[in-house]
Amino acid sequence: MCGIAGWVDWECDLTRQRTVAQAMTDSMACRGPDAEGLWLSERAALGHRRLAVIDLEGGAQPMAADRDADQVVLTYSGEVYNFRQLRETLRAAGHRFRTRSDTEVVLRGYLEWGESCVEHFDGMFAFAIWDERRQELLLARDRFGIKPLYYAVTDTGLLFGSEPKALLANPGFSAQVDAEGLAELFGLNKGRSPGHGVFRGLHQLLPGHTLRVERHGMHPTCYWRLGSHTHEDDLATTTATVRGMLEDIVERQLVADVPLCSLLSGGLDSSVITALAARGLQRQGMGKPVTFAVDFENSDAFFRPSSQRPSQDAPFVRLMADHLESQHTDVMLRPSDLAGQQEHTLGARDLPGHGDMDASLYLLCREIRRHSTVALSGEGADEVFGGYPWFVDQPPESMRNFPWRSTIPDIASLLSPDARQRIRLEEYVADRYAEALAEVPYLEGEAAADRRIRELSYLTLSHYLPLMLDRKDRIAMAVGLEVRVPFCDHQLLDYVFNIPWSMRTTSGAEKGILRAATADLLPSEVATRRKSGFPAVQDPVYDEQLMARLEGWLADRSSPLDDLVDRQHLAAMLQDETQAGVGWRRSRALAKNLLEIDGWMRRYQVRIC
């Protein structure tokens, strides 16, 4: 796992722009603390920061190979899990290897198969290849978009990087947001339009896509997309197939030349991954698994069950850790630990995030990084198997909008009427929803209920999951921790996406097919545990701190959001909830979002245009 950055310019001699190219590369230092490299030619600059995971001595980047007296140069982030098999295939085709790294497999894969090399790669990756002979740049991203890759078109070329900060380090790109970007932040909130970078002119390369850039234009290609087909397997075969696929996926993702651990929340998803990893490690003679969990001090005293978090993690974490005899560490946090973390989390994400949820994840990852370089995560199971409440509870309004928008407080309610009109918020969200539905790969002859589940699955995978993956990648890589997500495997997704809902929820349980496929791996209490969200601080001390920050914001007329937010409406909402004796549950969530956006605009000096 690494950080990449680069620049192509058809008019400027980039051999004279080393200082700027180095600044772009240096901005990725958090993603790659182990080594750095910069390659320059007249038309291209490729930078790399390395987090060494495989072949620690080899694999330095940017990596170059000669072809017809010209160089082909690669800067690459990620892991290709089938690199060993591909290396043998390429050797049989006449290629010679200097290293044991998957980086060289990617480079020689391009030399052998050209742009279609991505179709051979199984893993999480984002890379750029400059072909000096063709004078072409190739950008590529994995099928799920697990690894980020941003780009912006300039008057004379293109900038790219693993994170927006790489582009912001170049004078040719500035921190601006227009009405469309504001609509993404205030309208879509927990989701994000695929490919949209929020900053004006910033794009993300779409998952499963390549982008070929040459002097006369850009040529995007979709090399993978989710498809629909009739599911022919019976329940027993389906259960066995899911189990077999998961065993194979986790086994392949244990490959590392550095310490590896597992994130363990005591929920179904992380417990399944950890249990499968434990078996894989045992087969390889690598000892017991290493596990980590996060919790808050005195959480027992303040915990209040809710529909989103019906149970605490701690009892299930202990049960699972004892069951696997793992080398386990609980990372205990205090509310005061979260104070002051916004600078770190905003700096990690370059965009507004999830407030205290990001802060606790950051502190967890920071502690893990003291012991491990790679962590396995259960991220993606709810999206792949359909574990979110909106798959079951479908209020009428969810049929006309992205389903998760009915489950969270609407931050757009804080906008002034004038701002809503200028941003065209409702129209923007409706257009994005219509576009998303138009992409759904429907199955001919499908019943209405199954058709709606297919829509919900596709919307969740295409618009909700990317933001969750981006959060996990950016927060973890801010401290140099590589997180692998076995549930985000394209072959598993292609299979599960087409399992009928009645079979996916076998035994009447959420993610029933996953529970059935893995029940023998887990204690029964864990195997039957209902979904419970990421731990959130419930200590009144934190609420007091948040309220103080919000009151300070209401009194501060220098906020960059001053012309957008209806302060009187927010103040009245706080007063109404307090007088009603219900605390400030709704405005608490809104306050966190508002303060995140405000902090982001201040930190990056974002100009509204």
Side-chain angles (χ1 to χ4, degrees), residues 179-180 182-184 186-188 400-402 405 410-434:
E180 196 171 282
L182 291 172
E184 287 284 325
F186 285 94
L188 297 183
R400 301 185 296 272
N401 210 324
F402 293 103
R405 294 194 76 228
D410 183 11
I411 191 173
S413 65
L414 299 182
L415 291 174
S416 67
D418 179 62
R420 294 177 73 93
Q421 186 174 2
R422 277 191 290 141
I423 297 172
R424 296 171 42 249
L425 199 65
E426 287 77 10
E427 181 181 347
Y428 184 85
V429 174
D431 287 347
R432 300 294 81 75
Y433 184 63

Side-chain angles (χ1 to χ4, degrees), residues 158-237:
L158 179 138
L159 307 172
F160 68 87
S162 294
E163 301 179 6
K165 61 174 64 70
L167 288 78
L168 290 167
N170 188 299
F173 185 78
S174 59
Q176 302 180 52
V177 63
D178 55 18
E180 196 171 282
L182 291 172
E184 287 284 325
L185 292 175
F186 285 94
L188 297 183
N189 198 3
K190 291 284 186 179
R192 191 65 48 78
S193 297
H196 205 293
V198 179
F199 287 106
R200 185 182 187 184
L202 184 65
H203 309 275
Q204 290 196 63
L205 184 62
L206 289 170
H209 277 68
T210 60
L211 180 66
R212 186 166 54 86
V213 183
E214 43 92 18
R215 181 181 290 272
H216 301 294
M218 301 193 306
H219 311 279
T221 299
C222 176
Y223 69 88
W224 184 85
R225 62 164 44 95
L226 190 58
S228 294
H229 53 77
T230 303
H231 185 76
E232 303 288 353
D233 294 343
D234 60 17
L235 178 59
T237 303

Side-chain angles (χ1 to χ4, degrees), residues 64-294:
D66 293 330
R67 186 175 72 176
D68 299 333
D70 286 314
Q71 285 193 313
V72 176
V73 188
L74 166 71
T75 183
Y76 155 75
S77 170
E79 307 291 346
V80 171
Y81 301 122
N82 63 336
F83 76 99
R84 289 172 174 166
Q85 298 93 316
L86 291 177
R87 185 166 54 205
E88 295 310 309
T89 300
L90 291 165
R91 275 180 175 154
H95 291 268
R96 295 183 178 181
F97 288 83
R98 305 187 306 270
T99 73
R100 297 185 296 107
S101 69
D102 59 336
T103 302
E104 191 172 9
V105 170
V106 172
L107 179 58
R108 298 213 161 265
Y110 172 80
L111 294 176
E112 179 67 22
W113 299 304
E115 186 175 345
S116 65
C117 64
V118 289
E119 298 173 17
H120 297 261
F121 300 152
D122 173 18
M124 53 179 188
F125 54 82
F127 64 80
I129 292 178
W130 173 253
D131 193 321
E132 187 74 12
R133 184 187 66 170
R134 295 176 178 272
Q135 292 287 286
E136 284 184 357
L137 177 75
L138 177 68
L139 300 179
R141 196 173 181 204
D142 66 71
R143 296 166 181 84
F144 269 81
I146 302 169
K147 292 294 101 188
L149 183 53
Y150 292 83
Y151 70 93
V153 179
T154 68
D155 291 339
T156 56
L158 179 138
L159 307 172
F160 68 87
S162 294
E163 301 179 6
K165 61 174 64 70
L167 288 78
L168 290 167
N170 188 299
F173 185 78
S174 59
Q176 302 180 52
V177 63
D178 55 18
E180 196 171 282
L182 291 172
E184 287 284 325
L185 292 175
F186 285 94
L188 297 183
N189 198 3
K190 291 284 186 179
R192 191 65 48 78
S193 297
H196 205 293
V198 179
F199 287 106
R200 185 182 187 184
L202 184 65
H203 309 275
Q204 290 196 63
L205 184 62
L206 289 170
H209 277 68
T210 60
L211 180 66
R212 186 166 54 86
V213 183
E214 43 92 18
R215 181 181 290 272
H216 301 294
M218 301 193 306
H219 311 279
T221 299
C222 176
Y223 69 88
W224 184 85
R225 62 164 44 95
L226 190 58
S228 294
H229 53 77
T230 303
H231 185 76
E232 303 288 353
D233 294 343
D234 60 17
L235 178 59
T237 303
T238 300
T239 303
T241 300
V242 169
R243 172 60 172 268
M245 295 179 83
L246 286 172
E247 288 178 342
D248 178 62
I249 292 164
V250 172
E251 185 90 23
R252 284 185 280 116
Q253 296 196 20
L254 294 177
V255 176
D257 294 333
V258 292
L260 177 145
C261 70
S262 184
L263 306 179
L264 181 62
S265 70
L268 175 69
D269 310 336
S270 67
S271 297
V272 165
I273 296 302
T274 305
L276 289 171
R279 291 195 172 192
L281 292 170
Q282 185 179 32
R283 282 192 295 270
Q284 297 176 26
M286 297 174 65
K288 299 293 185 180
V290 176
T291 56
F292 290 86
V294 65

Side-chain angles (χ1 to χ4, degrees), residues 207-510:
H209 277 68
T210 60
L211 180 66
R212 186 166 54 86
V213 183
E214 43 92 18
R215 181 181 290 272
H216 301 294
M218 301 193 306
H219 311 279
T221 299
C222 176
Y223 69 88
W224 184 85
R225 62 164 44 95
L226 190 58
S228 294
H229 53 77
T230 303
H231 185 76
E232 303 288 353
D233 294 343
D234 60 17
L235 178 59
T237 303
T238 300
T239 303
T241 300
V242 169
R243 172 60 172 268
M245 295 179 83
L246 286 172
E247 288 178 342
D248 178 62
I249 292 164
V250 172
E251 185 90 23
R252 284 185 280 116
Q253 296 196 20
L254 294 177
V255 176
D257 294 333
V258 292
L260 177 145
C261 70
S262 184
L263 306 179
L264 181 62
S265 70
L268 175 69
D269 310 336
S270 67
S271 297
V272 165
I273 296 302
T274 305
L276 289 171
R279 291 195 172 192
L281 292 170
Q282 185 179 32
R283 282 192 295 270
Q284 297 176 26
M286 297 174 65
K288 299 293 185 180
V290 176
T291 56
F292 290 86
V294 65
D295 203 352
F296 290 91
E297 290 184 358
N298 301 318
S299 59
D300 288 344
F302 302 114
F303 178 73
R304 298 292 181 271
S306 67
S307 59
Q308 293 187 338
R309 189 162 169 73
S311 59
Q312 289 184 277
D313 286 350
F316 298 94
V317 169
R318 286 193 293 270
L319 186 63
M320 196 66 203
D322 290 344
H323 177 70
L324 297 175
E325 299 180 354
S326 69
Q327 302 174 46
H328 182 72
T329 300
D330 285 314
V331 179
M332 302 301 295
L333 305 178
R334 299 181 300 270
S336 59
D337 294 333
L338 305 183
Q341 296 303 324
Q342 187 185 54
E343 186 72 13
H344 296 297
T345 56
L346 282 176
R349 300 190 67 170
D350 297 327
L351 289 169
H354 297 159
D356 59 294
M357 305 289 279
D358 284 353
S360 56
L361 178 60
Y362 174 82
L363 293 171
L364 170 64
C365 291
R366 190 176 69 180
E367 181 59 30
I368 291 173
R369 187 61 177 89
R370 302 181 197 276
H371 312 276
S372 297
T373 308
V374 177
L376 299 179
S377 168
E379 195 82 65
D382 287 314
E383 291 84 356
V384 172
F385 287 91
Y388 287 115
W390 56 76
F391 283 94
V392 178
D393 181 18
Q394 300 179 34
E397 61 268 22
S398 74
M399 301 290 287
R400 301 185 296 272
N401 210 324
F402 293 103
W404 49 87
R405 294 194 76 228
S406 64
T407 68
I408 56 176
D410 183 11
I411 191 173
S413 65
L414 299 182
L415 291 174
S416 67
D418 179 62
R420 294 177 73 93
Q421 186 174 2
R422 277 191 290 141
I423 297 172
R424 296 171 42 249
L425 199 65
E426 287 77 10
E427 181 181 347
Y428 184 85
V429 174
D431 287 347
R432 300 294 81 75
Y433 184 63
E435 290 172 359
L437 284 182
E439 298 171 357
V440 177
Y442 293 108
L443 189 63
E444 187 175 353
E446 200 165 36
D450 289 330
R451 178 184 174 91
R452 181 54 182 165
I453 288 294
R454 193 173 296 277
E455 289 178 347
L456 291 171
S457 294
Y458 186 83
L459 293 172
T460 303
L461 289 162
S462 63
H463 286 67
Y464 191 83
L465 177 60
L467 205 60
M468 298 299 102
L469 292 175
D470 185 75
R471 170 180 179 259
K472 186 64 68 72
D473 171 87
R474 303 287 290 283
I475 296 293
M477 289 303 291
V479 296
L481 177 69
E482 173 178 302
V483 175
R484 298 177 179 177
V485 282
F487 283 116
C488 295
D489 176 271
H490 70 282
Q491 293 175 322
L492 176 69
L493 172 59
D494 184 68
Y495 187 77
V496 175
F497 182 70
N498 290 288
I499 298 174
W501 185 246
S502 59
M503 194 178 291
R504 270 201 259 175
T505 55
T506 183
S507 302
E510 74 193 23

